[in-house]
Amino acid sequence: GRVRVRVFAPRVGVEEDEATGAHAVRLAARLGREIVIRQGEGSLILAEPRPDGTVEIGGRTEPVETREY
């Protein structure tokens, strides 16, 4: 299936986070299976629950803009 998720954090100066790894970890753990997320322009997140209760995460991102924080 597909899940469409967007994360906005204007209080910390991020209008939209296109590669939300923290949320990928939670979703993979909740579903109990590997997930592949494609976000924004070239972001890829892979998350896989492990038998010990941790979640392995990796992927790649492509810079789209530089933000001053």
Side-chain angles (χ1 to χ4, degrees):
R2 291 181 183 239
V3 176
R4 174 139 172 102
V5 178
R6 297 176 74 186
V7 175
F8 302 91
R11 290 184 189 166
V12 293
V14 178
E15 292 302 317
E16 181 174 7
D17 185 356
E18 294 185 356
T20 53
H23 288 80
V25 167
R26 293 186 59 148
L27 181 58
R30 181 105 168 149
L31 294 175
R33 65 176 179 83
E34 180 181 42
I35 61 172
V36 176
I37 301 172
R38 290 175 179 79
Q39 280 184 302
E41 298 179 32
S43 295
L44 176 69
I45 299 172
L46 310 166
E48 180 180 7
R50 309 304 286 173
D52 66 358
T54 63
V55 175
E56 186 172 329
I57 187 160
R60 70 167 194 263
T61 60
E62 300 220 6
V64 175
E65 67 180 283
T66 301
R67 298 177 183 164
E68 297 295 326
Y69 294 100

